[in-house]
Structures are given as C-alpha cells and as structure tokens.
Amino acid sequence: MKIPVTFYSYFKDLTGTPETILEVPDSSTLAELMVQVFEQFPKMKEMDRSTLIAVGVEYQDRTYSLRQGDEGSLFPPVQGG
C-alpha cells in the first residue's frame, strides 16, 4: 500500500522535499515505514530517536499498524526558548 509522508520544519531541509509517498506491505508498522524513510533519506537517521510521528492528526508509537488511507507526518523535537 502507498503511504504519503509529510516532513515538517527542518525535516524538509534534511530530505529536500516536503513530502513523499512510500510503498509498504499491508499491515506494516510505523517502525517498518521509518526503515524506508531512513533508506530513502539517510540524513533522517540521525534524528531517529527524537522524531515525533503522527498518523492523521494523532501521534502514534512505532508499533501502530498502518492501514490503507493512512497518512504519516514526521516532526522534529519540540524546541522551546
């Protein structure tokens, strides 16, 4: 299934694009989707531990099973000041 992934904030700079579409097998998890993100955009790997992941409008952990029609969003860590 095809899952659109949107990159926010400076993740757009790291990837060189605001979004992509990745193909994953049915019942893939967010963890499996992230493996594909890192393969396509190696600079994202260094942000692995601090990346916030949402599906639709809700944050999810990496065990979430993707379904047809889901859309992923990747956010850098929240920064304050």
Side-chain angles (χ1 to χ4, degrees):
M1 72 186 142
K2 293 183 180 185
I3 303 292
V5 177
T6 303
F7 302 102
Y8 288 89
S9 188
Y10 64 86
F11 282 179
K12 288 188 264 188
D13 295 329
L14 284 177
T15 61
T17 185
E19 62 188 7
T20 191
I21 296 176
L22 297 173
E23 182 116 13
V24 295
D26 290 347
S27 301
S28 291
T29 64
L30 279 175
E32 293 164 320
L33 179 71
M34 290 304 292
V35 168
Q36 289 198 21
V37 168
F38 300 144
E39 287 174 358
Q40 188 167 346
F41 305 102
K43 291 181 182 178
M44 287 290 295
K45 180 70 174 155
E46 64 191 58
M47 300 304 300
D48 183 24
R49 295 181 63 190
S50 58
T51 298
L52 301 172
I53 306 169
V55 175
V57 296
E58 294 190 29
Y59 288 110
Q60 300 292 342
D61 66 34
R62 294 178 187 223
T63 61
Y64 176 87
S65 291
L66 293 162
R67 296 182 289 266
Q68 188 67 41
D70 280 347
E71 296 181 14
S73 299
L74 304 182
F75 300 89
V78 177
Q79 297 178 358

mmCIF file of all heavy atoms in Angstrom, residues 3-9 11-12 15 17-22 33-34 37 41 44 51-56 70-76:
data_model
loop_
_atom_site.group_PDB
_atom_site.id
_atom_site.type_symbol
_atom_site.label_atom_id
_atom_site.label_comp_id
_atom_site.label_asym_id
_atom_site.label_seq_id
_atom_site.Cartn_x
_atom_site.Cartn_y
_atom_site.Cartn_z
ATOM 1 N N ILE A 3 1.767 4.947 1.262
ATOM 2 C CA ILE A 3 1.559 5.814 2.414
ATOM 3 C C ILE A 3 2.235 7.157 2.148
ATOM 4 O O ILE A 3 3.464 7.228 2.020
ATOM 5 C CB ILE A 3 2.147 5.190 3.706
ATOM 6 C CG1 ILE A 3 1.538 3.808 3.985
ATOM 7 C CG2 ILE A 3 1.983 6.141 4.893
ATOM 8 C CD1 ILE A 3 0.081 3.817 4.366
ATOM 9 N N PRO A 4 1.459 8.241 2.068
ATOM 10 C CA PRO A 4 2.072 9.563 1.946
ATOM 11 C C PRO A 4 2.721 9.949 3.272
ATOM 12 O O PRO A 4 2.161 9.687 4.343
ATOM 13 C CB PRO A 4 0.903 10.486 1.635
ATOM 14 C CG PRO A 4 -0.307 9.641 1.512
ATOM 15 C CD PRO A 4 0.015 8.278 1.995
ATOM 16 N N VAL A 5 3.898 10.554 3.206
ATOM 17 C CA VAL A 5 4.620 11.004 4.396
ATOM 18 C C VAL A 5 4.974 12.471 4.190
ATOM 19 O O VAL A 5 5.575 12.834 3.177
ATOM 20 C CB VAL A 5 5.901 10.177 4.621
ATOM 21 C CG1 VAL A 5 6.679 10.693 5.825
ATOM 22 C CG2 VAL A 5 5.561 8.699 4.802
ATOM 23 N N THR A 6 4.601 13.301 5.165
ATOM 24 C CA THR A 6 4.887 14.730 5.115
ATOM 25 C C THR A 6 5.977 15.047 6.132
ATOM 26 O O THR A 6 5.937 14.566 7.267
ATOM 27 C CB THR A 6 3.623 15.552 5.428
ATOM 28 O OG1 THR A 6 2.603 15.186 4.500
ATOM 29 C CG2 THR A 6 3.893 17.037 5.310
ATOM 30 N N PHE A 7 6.942 15.864 5.719
ATOM 31 C CA PHE A 7 8.041 16.294 6.577
ATOM 32 C C PHE A 7 7.798 17.734 7.007
ATOM 33 O O PHE A 7 7.499 18.590 6.172
ATOM 34 C CB PHE A 7 9.370 16.198 5.826
ATOM 35 C CG PHE A 7 9.665 14.817 5.325
ATOM 36 C CD1 PHE A 7 9.470 14.489 3.996
ATOM 37 C CD2 PHE A 7 10.118 13.831 6.181
ATOM 38 C CE1 PHE A 7 9.737 13.221 3.523
ATOM 39 C CE2 PHE A 7 10.378 12.551 5.722
ATOM 40 C CZ PHE A 7 10.187 12.242 4.394
ATOM 41 N N TYR A 8 7.952 18.015 8.295
ATOM 42 C CA TYR A 8 7.714 19.354 8.820
ATOM 43 C C TYR A 8 8.996 19.987 9.331
ATOM 44 O O TYR A 8 9.958 19.301 9.673
ATOM 45 C CB TYR A 8 6.668 19.303 9.944
ATOM 46 C CG TYR A 8 5.292 19.027 9.397
ATOM 47 C CD1 TYR A 8 4.829 17.730 9.249
ATOM 48 C CD2 TYR A 8 4.475 20.071 8.983
ATOM 49 C CE1 TYR A 8 3.575 17.475 8.726
ATOM 50 C CE2 TYR A 8 3.223 19.837 8.449
ATOM 51 C CZ TYR A 8 2.780 18.528 8.327
ATOM 52 O OH TYR A 8 1.541 18.271 7.794
ATOM 53 N N SER A 9 8.967 21.321 9.375
ATOM 54 C CA SER A 9 10.057 22.133 9.895
ATOM 55 C C SER A 9 11.358 21.814 9.163
ATOM 56 O O SER A 9 11.357 21.671 7.944
ATOM 57 C CB SER A 9 10.174 21.929 11.408
ATOM 58 O OG SER A 9 11.087 22.819 11.977
ATOM 59 N N PHE A 11 12.933 19.172 8.870
ATOM 60 C CA PHE A 11 12.969 17.870 8.190
ATOM 61 C C PHE A 11 12.824 18.047 6.680
ATOM 62 O O PHE A 11 13.326 17.248 5.908
ATOM 63 C CB PHE A 11 11.890 16.939 8.715
ATOM 64 C CG PHE A 11 12.209 16.300 10.040
ATOM 65 C CD1 PHE A 11 11.315 15.449 10.636
ATOM 66 C CD2 PHE A 11 13.411 16.541 10.697
ATOM 67 C CE1 PHE A 11 11.598 14.835 11.851
ATOM 68 C CE2 PHE A 11 13.713 15.947 11.919
ATOM 69 C CZ PHE A 11 12.793 15.090 12.494
ATOM 70 N N LYS A 12 12.145 19.130 6.268
ATOM 71 C CA LYS A 12 12.045 19.420 4.829
ATOM 72 C C LYS A 12 13.429 19.706 4.255
ATOM 73 O O LYS A 12 13.727 19.308 3.134
ATOM 74 C CB LYS A 12 11.118 20.604 4.576
ATOM 75 C CG LYS A 12 9.660 20.295 4.809
ATOM 76 C CD LYS A 12 8.798 21.440 4.359
ATOM 77 C CE LYS A 12 8.464 22.323 5.528
ATOM 78 N NZ LYS A 12 7.477 23.357 5.191
ATOM 79 N N THR A 15 15.503 16.356 4.051
ATOM 80 C CA THR A 15 15.076 15.445 2.991
ATOM 81 C C THR A 15 15.091 16.082 1.611
ATOM 82 O O THR A 15 15.112 15.388 0.602
ATOM 83 C CB THR A 15 13.650 14.921 3.263
ATOM 84 O OG1 THR A 15 12.752 16.037 3.288
ATOM 85 C CG2 THR A 15 13.578 14.142 4.568
ATOM 86 N N THR A 17 12.591 17.743 0.449
ATOM 87 C CA THR A 17 11.219 17.703 -0.071
ATOM 88 C C THR A 17 10.231 17.843 1.095
ATOM 89 O O THR A 17 10.530 17.409 2.215
ATOM 90 C CB THR A 17 10.943 16.375 -0.828
ATOM 91 O OG1 THR A 17 9.645 16.434 -1.410
ATOM 92 C CG2 THR A 17 11.051 15.158 0.061
ATOM 93 N N PRO A 18 9.064 18.417 0.852
ATOM 94 C CA PRO A 18 8.069 18.492 1.924
ATOM 95 C C PRO A 18 7.284 17.194 2.126
ATOM 96 O O PRO A 18 6.674 16.999 3.176
ATOM 97 C CB PRO A 18 7.139 19.619 1.482
ATOM 98 C CG PRO A 18 7.271 19.651 -0.004
ATOM 99 C CD PRO A 18 8.681 19.207 -0.314
ATOM 100 N N GLU A 19 7.321 16.312 1.117
ATOM 101 C CA GLU A 19 6.561 15.067 1.245
ATOM 102 C C GLU A 19 7.056 14.013 0.258
ATOM 103 O O GLU A 19 7.765 14.316 -0.702
ATOM 104 C CB GLU A 19 5.068 15.308 1.040
ATOM 105 C CG GLU A 19 4.735 15.841 -0.334
ATOM 106 C CD GLU A 19 3.276 16.256 -0.478
ATOM 107 O OE1 GLU A 19 2.539 16.252 0.520
ATOM 108 O OE2 GLU A 19 2.887 16.566 -1.598
ATOM 109 N N THR A 20 6.685 12.785 0.554
ATOM 110 C CA THR A 20 6.996 11.667 -0.332
ATOM 111 C C THR A 20 5.891 10.630 -0.185
ATOM 112 O O THR A 20 5.049 10.730 0.716
ATOM 113 C CB THR A 20 8.374 11.056 -0.002
ATOM 114 O OG1 THR A 20 8.758 10.147 -1.032
ATOM 115 C CG2 THR A 20 8.372 10.314 1.337
ATOM 116 N N ILE A 21 5.880 9.652 -1.048
ATOM 117 C CA ILE A 21 4.960 8.521 -0.930
ATOM 118 C C ILE A 21 5.815 7.254 -0.903
ATOM 119 O O ILE A 21 6.649 7.039 -1.782
ATOM 120 C CB ILE A 21 3.963 8.468 -2.098
ATOM 121 C CG1 ILE A 21 3.075 9.714 -2.071
ATOM 122 C CG2 ILE A 21 3.111 7.198 -2.023
ATOM 123 C CD1 ILE A 21 2.119 9.839 -3.232
ATOM 124 N N LEU A 22 5.608 6.441 0.132
ATOM 125 C CA LEU A 22 6.372 5.206 0.284
ATOM 126 C C LEU A 22 5.434 4.014 0.144
ATOM 127 O O LEU A 22 4.287 4.055 0.596
ATOM 128 C CB LEU A 22 7.070 5.174 1.643
ATOM 129 C CG LEU A 22 8.105 6.280 1.867
ATOM 130 C CD1 LEU A 22 8.608 6.258 3.290
ATOM 131 C CD2 LEU A 22 9.258 6.142 0.893
ATOM 132 N N LEU A 33 7.827 1.504 8.302
ATOM 133 C CA LEU A 33 7.789 2.674 7.431
ATOM 134 C C LEU A 33 9.032 3.533 7.653
ATOM 135 O O LEU A 33 9.639 4.018 6.701
ATOM 136 C CB LEU A 33 6.526 3.491 7.700
ATOM 137 C CG LEU A 33 6.376 4.765 6.868
ATOM 138 C CD1 LEU A 33 6.070 4.428 5.415
ATOM 139 C CD2 LEU A 33 5.301 5.663 7.452
ATOM 140 N N MET A 34 9.433 3.686 8.918
ATOM 141 C CA MET A 34 10.605 4.510 9.222
ATOM 142 C C MET A 34 11.881 3.910 8.636
ATOM 143 O O MET A 34 12.781 4.650 8.228
ATOM 144 C CB MET A 34 10.734 4.723 10.731
ATOM 145 C CG MET A 34 9.646 5.619 11.309
ATOM 146 S SD MET A 34 9.541 7.245 10.535
ATOM 147 C CE MET A 34 11.086 7.963 11.069
ATOM 148 N N VAL A 37 11.933 5.263 5.293
ATOM 149 C CA VAL A 37 12.279 6.687 5.330
ATOM 150 C C VAL A 37 13.791 6.838 5.413
ATOM 151 O O VAL A 37 14.405 7.609 4.671
ATOM 152 C CB VAL A 37 11.593 7.412 6.514
ATOM 153 C CG1 VAL A 37 12.179 8.802 6.717
ATOM 154 C CG2 VAL A 37 10.087 7.489 6.303
ATOM 155 N N PHE A 41 16.076 8.606 2.790
ATOM 156 C CA PHE A 41 16.602 9.880 3.280
ATOM 157 C C PHE A 41 17.562 9.610 4.434
ATOM 158 O O PHE A 41 17.205 9.766 5.614
ATOM 159 C CB PHE A 41 15.455 10.787 3.743
ATOM 160 C CG PHE A 41 14.404 11.005 2.701
ATOM 161 C CD1 PHE A 41 13.200 10.323 2.754
ATOM 162 C CD2 PHE A 41 14.611 11.895 1.654
ATOM 163 C CE1 PHE A 41 12.211 10.523 1.795
ATOM 164 C CE2 PHE A 41 13.639 12.105 0.683
ATOM 165 C CZ PHE A 41 12.441 11.413 0.750
ATOM 166 N N MET A 44 17.955 11.576 7.771
ATOM 167 C CA MET A 44 16.911 11.477 8.794
ATOM 168 C C MET A 44 17.284 10.496 9.900
ATOM 169 O O MET A 44 16.779 10.597 11.014
ATOM 170 C CB MET A 44 15.578 11.056 8.166
ATOM 171 C CG MET A 44 14.886 12.124 7.354
ATOM 172 S SD MET A 44 14.233 13.464 8.362
ATOM 173 C CE MET A 44 12.977 12.602 9.316
ATOM 174 N N THR A 51 12.344 11.877 16.628
ATOM 175 C CA THR A 51 11.288 12.173 15.663
ATOM 176 C C THR A 51 9.913 11.878 16.250
ATOM 177 O O THR A 51 9.681 10.813 16.814
ATOM 178 C CB THR A 51 11.488 11.353 14.375
ATOM 179 O OG1 THR A 51 12.739 11.718 13.786
ATOM 180 C CG2 THR A 51 10.379 11.603 13.373
ATOM 181 N N LEU A 52 9.015 12.838 16.112
ATOM 182 C CA LEU A 52 7.623 12.642 16.513
ATOM 183 C C LEU A 52 6.849 12.206 15.280
ATOM 184 O O LEU A 52 6.987 12.801 14.209
ATOM 185 C CB LEU A 52 7.047 13.944 17.056
ATOM 186 C CG LEU A 52 7.772 14.542 18.261
ATOM 187 C CD1 LEU A 52 7.224 15.924 18.581
ATOM 188 C CD2 LEU A 52 7.644 13.625 19.460
ATOM 189 N N ILE A 53 6.027 11.161 15.432
ATOM 190 C CA ILE A 53 5.310 10.592 14.298
ATOM 191 C C ILE A 53 3.811 10.657 14.561
ATOM 192 O O ILE A 53 3.333 10.216 15.603
ATOM 193 C CB ILE A 53 5.708 9.115 14.069
ATOM 194 C CG1 ILE A 53 7.225 8.978 13.946
ATOM 195 C CG2 ILE A 53 5.003 8.558 12.833
ATOM 196 C CD1 ILE A 53 7.701 7.540 13.980
ATOM 197 N N ALA A 54 3.099 11.200 13.586
ATOM 198 C CA ALA A 54 1.639 11.226 13.666
ATOM 199 C C ALA A 54 1.070 10.491 12.467
ATOM 200 O O ALA A 54 1.668 10.454 11.393
ATOM 201 C CB ALA A 54 1.126 12.662 13.684
ATOM 202 N N VAL A 55 -0.076 9.882 12.678
ATOM 203 C CA VAL A 55 -0.861 9.294 11.590
ATOM 204 C C VAL A 55 -2.185 10.035 11.618
ATOM 205 O O VAL A 55 -2.870 10.042 12.639
ATOM 206 C CB VAL A 55 -1.071 7.780 11.771
ATOM 207 C CG1 VAL A 55 -1.984 7.241 10.686
ATOM 208 C CG2 VAL A 55 0.261 7.058 11.778
ATOM 209 N N GLY A 56 -2.482 10.694 10.508
ATOM 210 C CA GLY A 56 -3.631 11.597 10.530
ATOM 211 C C GLY A 56 -3.284 12.770 11.430
ATOM 212 O O GLY A 56 -2.270 13.417 11.237
ATOM 213 N N ASP A 70 -4.041 5.772 5.434
ATOM 214 C CA ASP A 70 -3.294 6.495 6.458
ATOM 215 C C ASP A 70 -2.300 7.450 5.808
ATOM 216 O O ASP A 70 -1.791 7.190 4.713
ATOM 217 C CB ASP A 70 -2.520 5.531 7.368
ATOM 218 C CG ASP A 70 -3.385 4.899 8.437
ATOM 219 O OD1 ASP A 70 -4.526 5.370 8.648
ATOM 220 O OD2 ASP A 70 -2.918 3.932 9.074
ATOM 221 N N GLU A 71 -2.023 8.528 6.504
ATOM 222 C CA GLU A 71 -1.013 9.495 6.086
ATOM 223 C C GLU A 71 -0.098 9.747 7.267
ATOM 224 O O GLU A 71 -0.568 10.019 8.373
ATOM 225 C CB GLU A 71 -1.660 10.807 5.642
ATOM 226 C CG GLU A 71 -2.533 10.651 4.423
ATOM 227 C CD GLU A 71 -3.160 11.959 3.976
ATOM 228 O OE1 GLU A 71 -2.721 13.039 4.435
ATOM 229 O OE2 GLU A 71 -4.101 11.895 3.175
ATOM 230 N N GLY A 72 1.209 9.664 7.023
ATOM 231 C CA GLY A 72 2.182 9.890 8.080
ATOM 232 C C GLY A 72 2.700 11.308 8.062
ATOM 233 O O GLY A 72 2.814 11.936 7.009
ATOM 234 N N SER A 73 3.024 11.823 9.258
ATOM 235 C CA SER A 73 3.635 13.140 9.403
ATOM 236 C C SER A 73 4.812 13.010 10.358
ATOM 237 O O SER A 73 4.670 12.411 11.434
ATOM 238 C CB SER A 73 2.628 14.142 9.989
ATOM 239 O OG SER A 73 1.522 14.283 9.133
ATOM 240 N N LEU A 74 5.946 13.555 9.963
ATOM 241 C CA LEU A 74 7.158 13.482 10.789
ATOM 242 C C LEU A 74 7.551 14.878 11.236
ATOM 243 O O LEU A 74 7.719 15.786 10.419
ATOM 244 C CB LEU A 74 8.292 12.832 10.005
ATOM 245 C CG LEU A 74 8.004 11.441 9.448
ATOM 246 C CD1 LEU A 74 9.239 10.891 8.739
ATOM 247 C CD2 LEU A 74 7.574 10.491 10.547
ATOM 248 N N PHE A 75 7.707 15.028 12.555
ATOM 249 C CA PHE A 75 8.032 16.306 13.152
ATOM 250 C C PHE A 75 9.341 16.208 13.921
ATOM 251 O O PHE A 75 9.576 15.207 14.607
ATOM 252 C CB PHE A 75 6.947 16.718 14.164
ATOM 253 C CG PHE A 75 5.571 16.851 13.580
ATOM 254 C CD1 PHE A 75 4.714 15.752 13.526
ATOM 255 C CD2 PHE A 75 5.136 18.052 13.075
ATOM 256 C CE1 PHE A 75 3.440 15.877 13.002
ATOM 257 C CE2 PHE A 75 3.858 18.188 12.540
ATOM 258 C CZ PHE A 75 3.012 17.099 12.511
ATOM 259 N N PRO A 76 10.149 17.264 13.866
ATOM 260 C CA PRO A 76 11.345 17.280 14.713
ATOM 261 C C PRO A 76 10.932 17.487 16.165
ATOM 262 O O PRO A 76 9.778 17.848 16.446
ATOM 263 C CB PRO A 76 12.149 18.465 14.171
ATOM 264 C CG PRO A 76 11.156 19.346 13.532
ATOM 265 C CD PRO A 76 10.041 18.450 13.047
#
